[in-house]
Amino acid sequence: MSGFANVVGNLSPLPELVLWRDPVARSGEEAMAVDEALLEWGEKPVLRAYRWAEPTVTYGYFDEEATARAIFPGEELHFVRRWTGGGIVDHRQDIPFTLAMHRRGEKERPSSATLYRWIHGALARVLRDCGVECVMLDGDAPDGGRACFASPVTSDLVLPGGEKLAGGGQRRVRGGVLHQGSIQNCLLPAGWDEMLAARLADGHSLCVEAELFPGMNARVAELLASKYRTEAWRSGVRHERTSHAR
């Protein structure tokens, strides 16, 4: 079981996951396509640690590019629409990660709020182990606008003084949940991702290959051509998750 059931109630770790240190610096569109391909793969939960190929700002599925550009006027940035929700995120100084989890036969799965709190609870322990003091919010902070790191919300991680450290957006589909996370305003040592994997799962394997599973690159290319590099996607057309026979 790749599993949600063991997360319900006591928020226990997953049985296992794959920690994928993606060695390829990705454009924003490619990063989004890779994450969707990971959720489709479904063999095991995947924690992906990666880096951006260029200065990038992402905006949530229900936001608009014009709103994002208005927050960063006149700057040479690449703007990309995410498949997940959440606000507008400046990724120029962040540490990004993705967690793709799948369900196989479970009748129930935890709410988005429960999963968000579980992921950030594990991340908070990692940050503290790395010497970064943090607090998990019990409620939304005062609204700072659509810029994600100006408006911490419930279960986000913040410094004791209130500056946001970690936030994320989620996408729920019938087969699983995708969590796209961003860590900012702190420095983390090499190996922080393995520490997080150990908090999220009882066991994990490490992959450093450019292609996590056979056919991944081909599927990413398909998603780029059909969705993430299209004008329709950039302009805010709603897309349902496309089926993909494996």
Side-chain angles (χ1 to χ4, degrees):
M1 179 178 65
S2 58
F4 282 106
N6 63 332
V7 182
V8 179
N10 62 3
L11 303 181
S12 299
L14 298 164
E16 60 178 339
L17 62 72
V18 177
L19 169 58
W20 181 33
R21 288 178 178 158
D22 185 351
V24 180
R26 308 278 183 178
S27 69
E29 291 90 350
E30 189 179 12
M32 300 303 108
V34 167
D35 284 348
E36 185 166 349
L38 292 182
L39 191 60
E40 291 177 346
W41 180 49
E43 293 296 326
K44 293 181 181 179
V46 178
L47 174 63
R48 173 183 173 232
Y50 64 102
R51 55 198 170 94
W52 304 96
E54 58 192 335
T56 299
V57 169
T58 65
Y59 52 99
Y61 183 74
F62 298 102
D63 260 313
E64 296 181 354
E65 183 175 342
T67 305
R69 287 187 178 275
I71 295 174
F72 302 98
E75 300 196 46
E76 292 296 323
L77 298 170
H78 191 57
F79 291 85
V80 178
R81 183 185 180 208
R82 298 191 308 273
W83 193 36
T84 56
I88 296 164
V89 184
D90 180 356
H91 296 282
R92 284 176 288 183
Q93 301 293 329
D94 81 334
I95 303 171
F97 70 93
T98 298
L99 182 62
M101 296 184 290
H102 321 92
R103 62 193 300 257
R104 292 289 182 269
E106 295 96 333
K107 294 182 179 179
E108 298 183 36
R109 56 176 169 168
S111 67
S112 294
T114 298
L115 280 174
Y116 199 90
R117 187 171 184 85
W118 173 70
I119 293 165
H120 277 193
L123 181 58
R125 291 190 288 272
V126 170
L127 291 175
R128 292 175 186 132
D129 288 344
C130 293
V132 180
E133 290 301 317
C134 61
V135 177
M136 184 183 291
L137 291 181
D138 289 329
D140 293 354
D143 186 1
R146 292 305 301 151
C148 180
F149 274 73
S151 299
V153 298
T154 301
S155 298
D156 278 349
L157 301 182
V158 299
L159 290 166
E163 189 174 19
K164 185 169 174 176
L165 285 169
Q170 291 186 358
R171 179 77 179 201
R172 297 170 71 89
V173 297
R174 181 175 298 177
V177 174
L178 179 70
H179 179 98
Q180 294 177 321
S182 176
I183 306 166
Q184 300 192 16
N185 299 314
C186 67
L187 296 175
L188 295 179
W192 71 270
D193 50 357
E194 196 147 16
M195 296 168 67
L196 181 57
R199 291 288 187 180
L200 293 171
D202 290 330
H204 66 273
S205 58
L206 175 64
C207 178
V208 295
E209 302 298 325
E211 190 173 38
L212 180 62
F213 58 89
M216 188 197 83
N217 289 342
R219 180 55 179 155
V220 168
E222 290 176 1
L223 288 166
L224 285 171
S226 65
K227 181 189 289 190
Y228 292 105
R229 284 183 176 155
T230 66
E231 182 57 35
W233 178 257
R234 289 173 60 88
S235 64
V237 172
R238 302 285 176 86
H239 281 63
E240 295 301 323
R241 178 169 177 257
T242 55
S243 61
H244 176 59
R246 291 179 47 251

